Amino acid sequence: MLIRRERTGDAVAIDAVHRSAFDRSAAAEGDIPVSPPVGDPVEVGLVHHLRDDGSAWIPTLSLVAEFQDRIVGHVCLTRAGIGPFPVLALGPIGVHAEQQGKGIGSALMHAALGAADALDEPLVGLLGSLEYYPRFGFVPGTRLGIVPDVADWTSHFQVRPLTAYELEIKGEFRYADAFYAL
């Protein structure tokens, strides 16, 4: 498996990854549709809207996992803010359903966090599983005095401080505008 930056021409394959990873019409036990598909999962559109947002999109932090010349995973980090402090938001992260459980998501996460740290970014925030993300060093944002600007998100909002993190980075976390259009 190879983790690399997204390239021009990868968008269709990245869409396919997120369609597969976030297909909510399939039952938990196999791929038996529980209802007809209504459209693409929101994550597909979110990536497109983020790419179109010149102030949020960071091309160097959109990564794909490639296995046997096929894109099987994707993650992106985009610009967010906590008051005057620029920080990063993670998501979406997705792995094609056929490839889940093989460590691809973990590899993408480690690569994304390592790249962000190498770029001297101070912190990454995300909304996600309280069971999955702590293994990558994420903690509840409230523990560091950081809360999302949508109160309903607080229970699943987590942050990962990086090397450049400073204690004065506190307050309300604001995602790129595309996240609010979901």
Side-chain angles (χ1 to χ4, degrees):
M1 179 180 57
L2 169 71
I3 305 289
R4 64 168 175 79
R5 284 178 53 179
E6 175 183 340
R7 295 182 194 138
T8 302
D10 286 343
V12 171
I14 290 169
D15 288 353
V17 163
H18 291 300
R19 270 188 203 101
S20 175
F22 296 101
D23 180 11
R24 290 168 183 88
S25 67
E29 300 166 9
D31 291 335
I32 302 165
V34 294
S35 64
V38 177
D40 276 339
V42 297
E43 292 81 3
V44 174
L46 175 59
V47 173
H48 284 268
H49 290 303
L50 288 168
R51 266 194 212 108
D52 292 341
D53 184 345
S55 63
W57 189 249
I58 306 170
T60 55
L61 295 176
S62 180
L63 306 174
V64 298
E66 197 174 75
F67 180 69
Q68 296 178 344
D69 297 322
R70 179 177 169 227
I71 292 176
V72 296
H74 174 255
V75 64
C76 62
L77 295 165
T78 53
R79 182 59 60 210
I82 300 172
F85 302 103
V87 297
L88 297 173
L90 187 139
I93 180 171
V95 175
H96 197 283
E98 296 171 359
Q99 299 295 324
Q100 291 178 2
K102 298 179 180 178
I104 296 169
S106 292
L108 282 166
M109 182 63 79
H110 287 298
L113 292 173
D117 200 41
L119 292 171
D120 289 326
E121 294 290 345
L123 177 135
V124 175
L126 63 76
L127 285 173
S129 167
L130 301 173
E131 289 78 42
Y132 182 74
Y133 292 104
R135 72 184 74 179
F136 303 105
F138 283 87
V139 298
T142 55
R143 191 178 295 171
L144 298 178
I146 301 167
V147 296
D149 61 352
V150 175
D152 290 347
W153 295 349
T154 303
S155 64
H156 287 80
F157 179 73
Q158 300 166 66
V159 296
R160 168 63 153 79
L162 301 172
T163 305
Y165 172 72
E166 297 177 12
L167 292 176
E168 69 262 10
I169 302 176
K170 293 182 183 324
E172 207 170 67
F173 186 97
R174 171 98 180 136
Y175 283 91
D177 289 341
F179 283 92
Y180 302 94
L182 297 177

